[in-house]
Amino acid sequence: MEDNVTMTAMPLWDSYVRALHSRFQEEPCLAWINPAQGDPFEIDELVAARKVCVPIMHPHFDLRYAPYLLELDLSRFQDGDVLARTVELAANAWTLDSLQKMNGQPVCGWVAASCSARDLAAYWARTCHIHHRNGQAKLLRFHDPGVREWLWPALERLQRTTLLGPATHILSIGRNGELLEQGLDDTEPQQQHTSLTLTAKQWNEVEDYAVVHAAWLALCGQDEAWRGRLSQQSGWQYNVLDCLRQATEYGIVDAQDRALFARHALEVGTNFHLNALLSPVWERTRTGQYYGGVLEEVIGDSADRLFIHLHHET
């Protein structure tokens, strides 16, 4: 009689669980959770007993939805189970289905720190989250792994040191499904400011992250091959963010119009706006007219088909 053997395929994110166990073998792991769209651990007694909220003081921010840190000792089975659940949540949050449903990012990442969870939470709330720009208090959502993935490379070394504070490394799952690690070389001296400050250019880009994400999601939703294609193009997001400065010059300020402009930059190329066919469009957007509507009038077709019209022009 032959033995029947059932092979069970391990989920892709299982390799991330093993990597995190290895990374935090000799130090506590601080799981960083974002309950803004529902706390995935709301009824978990272990989490309830240990979680430390980041006390963000912003006039329009409800602390019930503040991110929180959770210290895990991965030598304990129960703590390891919580880690595995956070990894599964983080990986699933980057699926197109979850992104299209706007489910958000419930897991910010996993943090190594030289202090307690409470001290790190207080540091981030005091030093990094709240900024004042154009007379308004702004919340820097660096706890969102999608924001941090694009923000980190754009920061100067001193800004990175200030963002980390007593944290030594932050790990998270990125847009392309890889396990990212953000930290600094321990061999170099690490100075930091009393608070994290972004330049005007950095803030302009941060405020367009959602626009570029919407353009990326629209393309990937139309054809998932775009996801793999763009993952092979290093720095594509910064090229599009730079292109959006031209959209501002053309008077395009509406978020949906800017997302459409960014999508065209991705689909056609960042110099698409220089095509002579579009000159009448920019004349009208500079007067305050909406990009999408004007574009469709000029080309006599859906704005989603601009690529075809520009291709025929070349």
Side-chain angles (χ1 to χ4, degrees):
M1 180 181 292
E2 295 183 359
D3 292 334
N4 292 322
V5 179
T6 301
M7 300 296 291
T8 302
M10 298 302 291
L12 178 63
W13 50 263
D14 188 66
S15 63
Y16 302 150
V17 175
R18 294 196 300 272
L20 289 168
H21 269 276
S22 177
R23 180 64 182 77
F24 292 99
Q25 198 168 24
E26 298 180 359
E27 60 185 330
C29 170
L30 299 179
W32 193 7
I33 309 300
N34 180 19
Q37 292 182 251
D39 188 349
F41 297 99
E42 186 174 11
I43 60 173
D44 189 295
E45 292 182 1
L46 181 152
V47 175
R50 296 190 201 169
K51 72 178 184 179
V52 176
C53 290
V54 180
I56 299 170
M57 301 307 293
H58 184 279
H60 303 297
F61 189 81
D62 190 331
L63 283 176
R64 290 177 299 174
Y65 306 111
Y68 62 83
L69 293 164
L70 173 69
E71 184 172 323
L72 298 175
D73 177 353
L74 300 185
S75 67
R76 299 175 179 174
F77 175 81
Q78 196 172 9
D79 292 43
D81 179 65
V82 171
L83 175 75
R85 288 155 60 195
T86 65
V87 174
E88 182 179 10
L89 285 165
N92 288 341
W94 281 115
T95 63
L96 286 181
D97 180 62
S98 180
L99 292 169
Q100 288 167 339
K101 290 177 180 176
M102 302 181 71
N103 289 333
Q105 297 288 340
V107 178
C108 312
W110 305 273
V111 186
S114 60
C115 67
S116 68
R118 191 166 303 280
D119 286 346
L120 179 58
Y123 173 85
W124 275 342
R126 180 179 68 251
T127 307
C128 301
H129 271 295
I130 304 301
H131 298 250
H132 297 277
R133 175 169 160 82
N134 300 327
Q136 293 184 321
K138 307 279 287 187
L139 175 65
L140 180 62
R141 299 181 66 255
F142 71 94
H143 55 286
D144 184 318
V147 170
R148 200 171 57 254
E149 180 178 354
W150 289 355
L151 176 63
W152 182 262
L155 296 177
E156 299 292 338
R157 179 178 174 80
L158 189 55
Q159 292 174 312
R160 292 181 182 183
T161 307
T162 305
L163 186 149
L164 286 172
T168 55
H169 293 85
I170 301 171
L171 294 99
S172 58
I173 295 177
R175 177 178 301 270
N176 297 321
E178 69 275 60
L179 188 62
L180 303 176
E181 182 167 344
Q182 293 144 349
L184 297 172
D185 185 347
D186 293 336
T187 62
E188 297 182 45
Q190 297 184 12
Q191 299 176 323
Q192 61 189 51
H193 286 304
T194 53
S195 63
L196 177 63
T197 303
L198 303 187
T199 66
K201 179 179 182 294
Q202 287 170 332
W203 262 116
N204 289 339
E205 290 184 349
V206 167
E207 290 174 347
D208 268 333
Y209 283 177
V211 166
V212 178
H213 172 77
W216 173 84
L217 185 57
L219 272 185
C220 295
Q222 172 187 299
D223 180 357
E224 196 164 354
W226 273 103
R227 187 168 199 164
R229 197 175 301 151
L230 289 172
S231 71
Q232 301 301 313
Q233 298 179 22
S234 176
W236 63 265
Q237 67 272 31
Y238 303 113
N239 294 333
V240 177
L241 286 165
D242 189 59
C243 188
L244 281 168
R245 290 193 293 172
Q246 189 60 57
T248 304
E249 292 294 318
Y250 291 141
I252 300 172
V253 295
D254 176 75
Q256 288 187 339
D257 272 352
R258 290 179 72 81
L260 180 62
F261 189 97
R263 176 178 172 174
H264 289 151
L266 282 172
E267 190 174 26
V268 185
T270 52
N271 288 328
F272 84 96
H273 59 94
L274 300 177
N275 192 292
L277 176 67
L278 300 178
S279 295
V281 176
W282 314 137
E283 290 176 7
R284 293 171 62 179
T285 56
R286 282 190 172 104
T287 68
Q289 296 183 54
Y290 288 105
Y291 171 51
V294 169
L295 177 63
E296 293 188 344
E297 288 183 26
V298 169
I299 67 174
D301 201 350
S302 168
D304 292 341
R305 290 167 52 83
L306 177 62
F307 176 85
I308 297 171
H309 292 268
L310 295 189
H311 179 70
H312 286 165
E313 285 285 308
T314 59

